[in-house]
Amino acid sequence: MTEPLLKVQNLRVELTTRNGTAPVIDDVSFELHAGENLSFVGESGCGKSMTALAIMGLLPEGIGRITAGSIMFDGQELTELSQERLRRIRGNDISMIFQEPMTSLNPVYTIGEQIVEVLLAHQSISRADAWAEAATLLDAVRIPKARERLKDYPFQLSGGQRQRVMIAIALACKPKVLIADEPTTALDVTVQAQIFDLLRDLRQETGTSIILITHDMGAVAEMAERMIVMYAGRIAEIGAVDDIIGTPRHPYTKGLISCVPHVLAHVTDEKQPLTEVPGIVPSLREFGKDQCLFASRCQHRTQQCLTARPQSVNFDGAQSADCWHAGTL
Amino acid sequence: MSEQPLLSVENLTVRFAMNRRGLFSPATHLYAVDDVSFHVNRGETLAIVGESGSGKTTAALAAARLVTAYEGRVVLDGEDVLPLEGEELRQMRQKVQFIFQDPYSSLNPRQRAEEIVRDPLQSLTDTPAAEQQEITERLFAQVGLRPEQRRLFPHQFSGGQRQRIGIARALATQPELVICDEPVSALDVAVQAQILNLLSALQEEFGLTYLFISHDLGVVQHMCDSVAVMYMGKIVEHADRKSLFNNPLHPYTAALLSAVPSVDKTLREKSKRILIPGDPPDPTQKQVGCRFASRCPVAQDQCRLSEPPLTEIAPNHRVACHLVDEKAISPL
């Protein structure tokens, strides 16, 4: 096996709140290989985006910090790098697409200027070459009449086109890792399908690894090879997408899959009520306790779940679930 | 049909005036809803599906008299509601209530939860105060909130709980028709299921009729009895749940369905993705021909020349497409 491109080990990120510090990421380890698509799934407030921000070195300053663990990227320890070095990696080797294509572009610059800015910051090329490269990039994300559209302002583009521009900016320096944080939540399904197709094709052409953060199991099934289910800052389940969706071992994963009404191939008159996962994600004050944090919402809860944090149970292949009862469910 | 539908909308058109280009240029209008007809049977759920900007919310708002209709008729319970005014309009508003999309902005942050729920009783009915209190207390239990939460303010609730307050408010005047405008799209997946189950249970308990607006086809398939698919202000397909999902005839419906990512591997491999390129055309320009023609994978010359009417090709299945005939075979 080759060395993974990105290796996160025992990562712990603490957030300072009015009620003291809370571990929003608690002992998270995973690997990302070159050209692989890895997905993070979970409800909001489970630490998916926080993990991405920690990798990017973009944790909210003064509030969030990495207190333990390591992030190895391409032979470098990201947690020990200076701001200057990090800035060079960010956007160049690892880049990110954000959720809201409406708000993550600057409204007072043309999209051409915004793409060129990234190119000039990270590569030693002339301004004219950068503009030519920007047109090529817009063309690559399938925006028609790319050269003319460079002069457009963000408000002149539709939501789907703005997200394409964001992808063009993220891919400008041919990063090794692309983190897509809910890239399609604000978009219509037909546009979402277009964006997914685009990401798939780009990955094939450039060999970029993609970390897709989402709450949509369908999207994961379609896009990723491996997935991580996160709950309350911890990994609930990790493994190959087909294994996990086929036989989810953690009760939370099961809940996440069955609580969503999926489009069925054949519809009958029968309508079954949805399986509910009762309650909501625990508040930050509960994070980090030595118990199963899902216990309050779990129907299989026993005394053991309330007194000790579950250890991961391995199943054949690379699937493992952090649940005391994973083996028996 | 023996029973008359609770809500029937006929040839409804809603248009918005647009900024004039100059002082003397003629006024132009955007037709957000263009000659739309549908009906909802008592106790059933009609879902209106479509992309953003397709006019689904505007159609519902017009039916509830919350935006002004330009043309058409809206008949609720045998009564034409568009000409109503004053006291009659107030009476009608008791029968039609709205659940909004965003539980964060649709509740007044300065009102306590019980005041929010009591509000429609105060403004729309003449219920005595003691009875109002009683109704409010009962509603809190029915939507799954605890009695002591009545005195809290909206910011003290989670998103799902807030949506429960919104539902309680909508049920306060014992409406017959509840319009749910994307009631779960702002919520987390696990909470969505809780709210959808609550809506189903309440429908059964009170015999409610839902007009359910959503872009999520999984949710629609789960909730509805019939579906109307809208594209750029027009209904392109209107059918009962089984016909629409098992035999989608309009190319747009088929494309929408195929665009939904699925966890089912066999389904994913079986269904071929129907890609519709680009975005909908500019709605401010009046279209000639079928509005979907510019993105349709099977469009032909006649599609660009004349607009297909919404025709009934099977019982309870209406489609607006030149390429679909009585044999009910999808043109794709």
Side-chain angles (χ1 to χ4, degrees), chain A residues 284-299:
Chain A
L284 276 182
R285 256 170 292 167
E286 310 285 319
F287 279 49
K289 282 193 179 162
D290 188 20
Q291 65 164 82
C292 175
L293 292 173
F294 184 61
S296 60
R297 303 172 75 183
C298 183
Q299 51 176 342

Side-chain angles (χ1 to χ4, degrees), chain B residues 94-120:
Chain B
Q94 290 181 29
K95 294 191 210 160
V96 183
Q97 287 289 308
F98 230 90
I99 297 171
F100 296 94
Q101 172 170 9
D102 185 358
Y104 293 88
S105 61
S106 61
L107 304 179
N108 184 344
R110 303 172 74 158
Q111 274 186 322
R112 291 181 194 277
E114 62 176 358
E115 289 163 8
I116 293 173
V117 174
R118 200 189 297 133
D119 223 11

Side-chain angles (χ1 to χ4, degrees), chain A residues 116-232:
Chain A
V116 165
E117 182 191 359
V118 177
L119 287 166
L120 290 179
H122 288 290
Q123 292 178 357
S124 40
I125 54 173
S126 73
R127 192 161 274 277
D129 286 349
W131 277 92
E133 177 67 22
T136 320
L137 282 165
L138 269 199
D139 201 42
V141 294
R142 296 184 207 138
I143 288 187
K145 292 188 230 146
R147 197 161 283 279
E148 294 161 41
R149 297 312 289 269
L150 283 177
K151 297 187 200 95
D152 281 356
Y153 288 91
F155 79 90
Q156 291 166 299
L157 307 177
S158 69
Q161 286 174 330
R162 278 181 239 190
Q163 196 58 291
R164 283 161 199 269
V165 172
M166 288 303 295
I167 295 175
I169 293 176
L171 293 175
C173 301
K174 304 188 177 54
K176 296 188 178 109
V177 179
L178 175 68
I179 303 177
D181 187 358
E182 309 248 12
T184 57
T185 8
L187 305 174
D188 282 316
V189 270
T190 55
V191 182
Q192 165 172 303
Q194 295 170 9
I195 298 286
F196 281 163
D197 277 345
L198 174 66
L199 283 176
R200 242 192 311 255
D201 290 353
L202 289 174
R203 180 177 147 216
Q204 228 151 39
E205 285 160 27
T206 58
T208 303
S209 311
I210 298 180
I211 294 181
L212 177 71
I213 297 173
T214 179
H215 59 263
D216 183 350
M217 280 285 179
V220 175
E222 236 162 66
M223 292 292 292
E225 289 100 46
R226 283 199 310 131
M227 66 190 278
I228 293 175
V229 181
M230 285 200 75
Y231 189 76

Side-chain angles (χ1 to χ4, degrees), chain B residues 143-164:
Chain B
V143 298
L145 292 169
R146 293 193 303 277
E148 69 269 20
Q149 289 175 317
R150 288 204 310 267
R151 302 286 299 159
L152 300 179
F153 286 98
H155 74 265
Q156 291 165 299
F157 292 92
S158 69
Q161 287 172 325
R162 279 184 224 210
Q163 202 56 303
R164 286 173 198 268

Side-chain angles (χ1 to χ4, degrees), chain B residues 15-56:
Chain B
R15 61 178 207 181
F16 298 119
M18 293 196 303
N19 285 340
R20 294 182 184 207
R21 297 199 182 275
L23 186 58
F24 299 105
S25 62
T28 50
H29 291 95
L30 185 153
Y31 286 78
V33 177
D34 196 353
D35 195 14
V36 159
S37 304
F38 60 84
H39 62 265
V40 195
N41 292 331
R42 207 174 279 274
E44 292 195 349
T45 303
L46 170 73
I48 304 183
V49 199
E51 291 176 279
S52 38
S54 60
K56 48 193 195 309

Side-chain angles (χ1 to χ4, degrees), chain A residues 44 188 190 194 222 267 277, chain B residues 51-52 188 194 246 273 276:
Chain A
S44 19
D188 282 316
T190 55
Q194 295 170 9
E222 236 162 66
V267 176
V277 182
Chain B
E51 291 176 279
S52 38
D188 254 323
Q194 298 166 9
N246 289 340
R273 167 77 49 90
I276 50 173

